[in-house]
Amino acid sequence: MKPRRNLITDVEGLSVGQAHDEAAASGVTVILADRPVIAAVDVRGGAPASRETETLRPENLVQEIDAIVFAGGSVHGLAAGDGVAAWLGARGRGFALGGGAGVPSSPIVPAACLYDLANGGAKDWGEDPPYRTLGRIAAGTATPDFDIGTAGAGFGARAGGLPGGIGSASATMANGGVVGALAAVNSFGSVIAPGSGQFWAAPFEIDDEFGGLGVSQAPVFHQTWGLAKASAAGGLNTTLACVATDVALSRVELLRVAVMAQDGLARAIRPAHTPFDGDIVFALSTGLRELPCDGRRPLAIARIGATAADVVARAIARGVFHAKGFGRHQHDETLG
């Protein structure tokens, strides 16, 4: 079942803010939690650009985060996390261990970036890339409702041979738990089947949410990719995703959800997790709904992970479908 917004913010306690620099053709997306939340991460791509992912290892001290940041700009975009951390710190958010009056807290802000440096935007920023400022602006504008398509971290993205973008989707499980996803799609691989204009993720579509274009009937061969990028230059691609649930899970359990959610990339993009992509999936729990601590718990976690994979696939397709220029390019064959 699809909740009312069909966005990651159908998970209560989350909001999303976005900002972009039109001249630079790049931007930032911030997933902001109302209060600290448990989080985990799974990295599958061969060319990641990230911040604070080691903090999310289960054995480490800090178990909760304040926000997750996605940005364009490759390594330059990691500065967006600084802007969000500064914004949170000024409002008293963050981890505190001892100290006293006048000792600032340490907001925990994992971040990941995609490569949009060669998309034609003005990147001659010298020693002052715009991402720290964009991060601060995005944090300050976070709301439950936000734009998908050509927005935020997906403003200058490319999904194979198509415009990329920010996508989001959600689902309510039979037990009432909500799972949502947000994806920034800048993949090497194609999101549509070759020669058809139909999304690989079509079997998972709900209520024509990405056009109701149907499922491709064309045969699929092992090297049939469709609209992948013509250049496989290393480090130039990435799909970033965050899945969230209101079900209370530990970091170890969330890591399993993130691992399962990676299947959503493979369902929506062909190929995924290549040496040229920096694919990363974060998972977080707002902890508002309890699970029984008995023998049924592992099955419940499996259901959350399976739902997360489906929701990620839908979010990816929605991000591309709503991107500017999708309809003009969906039948172009750049690499078959």
Side-chain angles (χ1 to χ4, degrees):
M1 184 170 65
K2 182 179 68 177
R4 61 187 185 280
R5 292 190 184 93
N6 200 21
L7 300 172
I8 193 173
T9 49
D10 283 323
V11 177
E12 186 179 349
L14 301 179
S15 57
V16 171
Q18 301 191 101
H20 67 266
D21 183 322
E22 188 164 0
S26 190
V28 172
T29 298
V30 178
I31 303 166
L32 191 64
D34 291 348
R35 59 182 179 81
V37 294
I38 302 290
V41 65
D42 184 66
V43 181
R44 293 292 173 93
S50 60
R51 153 192 167 131
E52 296 273 40
T53 51
E54 282 298 301
T55 301
L56 300 183
R57 290 175 62 90
E59 71 272 22
N60 287 338
L61 173 66
V62 180
Q63 294 290 302
E64 297 176 321
I65 67 164
D66 299 289
I68 289 176
V69 176
F70 292 162
S74 186
V75 294
H76 304 281
L78 292 173
D82 297 340
V84 175
W87 186 90
L88 288 163
R91 287 154 181 80
R93 291 284 301 270
F95 179 77
L97 184 63
V103 178
S105 58
S106 299
I108 308 301
V109 183
C113 297
L114 53 83
Y115 186 100
D116 58 7
L117 297 180
N119 64 3
K123 307 297 197 301
D124 53 345
W125 48 54
E127 295 183 4
D128 190 24
Y131 296 101
R132 190 179 193 279
T133 297
L134 291 174
R136 190 172 63 248
I137 293 171
T141 60
T143 64
D145 295 294
F146 59 95
D147 292 334
I148 61 175
T150 307
F155 189 86
R158 299 287 299 175
L162 296 172
I166 287 288
S168 193
S170 64
T172 300
M173 297 182 296
N175 65 1
V178 179
V179 176
L182 182 146
V185 191
N186 188 59
S187 57
F188 165 73
S190 173
V191 297
I192 63 172
S196 72
Q198 295 163 314
F199 286 97
W200 291 117
F204 309 99
E205 185 175 17
I206 297 177
D207 296 339
D208 297 341
E209 62 190 334
F210 38 90
L213 303 174
V215 179
S216 173
Q217 301 302 310
V220 178
F221 302 100
H222 65 282
Q223 290 186 351
T224 302
W225 295 345
L227 277 172
K229 287 178 178 168
S231 171
L236 304 190
N237 318 282
T238 286
T239 298
L240 308 172
C242 176
V243 296
T245 181
D246 59 355
V247 178
L249 299 176
S250 70
R251 178 168 284 179
V252 171
E253 292 167 336
L254 275 173
L255 178 56
R256 178 50 51 189
V257 170
V259 168
M260 293 181 70
Q262 290 276 10
D263 290 348
L265 273 70
R267 292 170 188 172
I269 301 167
R270 185 177 174 88
H273 307 138
T274 74
F276 323 116
D277 291 275
D279 299 339
I280 297 177
V281 173
F282 294 92
L284 58 85
S285 164
T286 59
L288 300 178
R289 188 182 301 271
E290 293 294 334
L291 274 181
C293 292
D294 56 23
R296 296 171 294 172
R297 190 175 180 93
L299 179 58
I301 295 166
R303 287 174 173 153
I304 294 170
T307 302
D310 291 348
V311 174
V312 166
R314 292 166 48 214
I316 289 169
R318 292 191 79 212
V320 177
F321 177 74
H322 287 279
K324 293 179 181 177
F326 168 72
R328 294 197 304 272
H329 301 291
Q330 68 183 107
H331 294 288
D332 296 340
E333 289 288 345
T334 61
L335 182 63

